[in-house]
Amino acid sequence: YNRTWNNIINNCSPEIYEILPNPKLKPFLGFNSVSLTHEELQIIFKNLEPEWKNQLSSVKGIYCVTDRGNGKLYIGSAYGANGIWGRWGSYADMKNLTGGNKIFEELKFKDGKYIIENFTYAILEIFDPKTKDEYILERESYWKKVFDSIKNGMNRN
């Protein structure tokens, strides 16, 4: 190795405090393979991962948030501007984390780190951006019944 590098190493003794994991996320492998921890969701939005952003903003959809702490599910729909990307952005936002969900807000109030440490996000069904909102809401209701997420999960309606 070159002499300059040798001089730097011998004349200075830096201390390493922490080695951080590489925040680079795995590539987008298709909608059927989307299952993200909250940490991964934050990385995607913080870095505006182009592949993830392009894919998630190109579709509307039905998604599931799982609370790994208690096994409860929340079934949601994304039918607004920017599709799933637009909706999940409110969950990834460290100032929000809740997407306006009252149960999530209660959890955040009790323990600010709970959502970050316990929530995962998955896609159940996708739709073309031109799909009518009413149909997506019907499908959301269907999935809520399938998983009984009103009685035994985190949906209130």
Side-chain angles (χ1 to χ4, degrees):
Y1 61 115
N2 84 32
R3 224 174 173 168
T4 307
W5 184 246
N6 188 26
N7 288 340
I8 291 171
I9 292 174
N10 291 329
N11 294 330
C12 126
S13 46
E15 290 185 44
I16 298 175
Y17 293 102
E18 180 178 12
I19 297 176
L20 298 173
N22 182 355
K24 184 69 177 152
L25 198 63
K26 61 187 175 243
F28 181 85
L29 297 174
F31 295 105
N32 292 339
S33 299
V34 174
S35 179
L36 302 167
T37 65
H38 192 87
E39 182 180 29
E40 291 170 324
L41 190 69
Q42 287 178 319
I43 292 169
I44 288 170
F45 279 85
K46 181 181 178 189
N47 297 337
L48 295 174
E49 294 284 340
E51 185 177 20
W52 284 89
K53 182 178 181 185
N54 289 339
Q55 295 297 329
L56 295 179
S57 63
S58 72
V59 295
K60 296 178 179 182
I62 308 300
Y63 60 89
C64 178
V65 178
T66 302
D67 180 341
R68 293 176 303 181
N70 61 22
K72 290 185 177 184
L73 304 177
Y74 171 78
I75 306 302
S77 58
Y79 51 87
N82 297 312
I84 294 172
W85 178 265
R87 183 69 181 116
W88 282 9
S90 63
Y91 297 126
D93 181 357
M94 288 299 288
K95 294 176 186 169
N96 184 337
L97 299 176
T98 68
N101 178 297
K102 299 293 182 202
I103 293 175
F104 294 6
E105 288 174 2
E106 291 167 11
L107 290 171
K108 180 183 172 188
F109 180 74
K110 288 180 188 173
D111 178 0
K113 294 182 181 180
Y114 187 85
I115 291 172
I116 296 166
E117 294 171 352
N118 291 287
F119 279 22
T120 61
Y121 305 81
I123 296 173
L124 298 175
E125 194 171 9
I126 60 168
F127 305 96
D128 181 274
K130 295 179 184 174
T131 304
K132 293 190 181 290
D133 296 350
E134 296 79 19
Y135 180 71
I136 294 171
L137 292 170
E138 287 175 23
R139 296 302 297 162
E140 179 184 15
S141 293
Y142 166 80
W143 286 107
K144 287 176 185 178
K145 288 176 188 168
V146 166
F147 292 112
D148 197 19
S149 64
I150 294 174
K151 183 178 177 187
N152 294 306
M154 295 184 286
N155 287 97
R156 286 201 173 152
N157 58 18

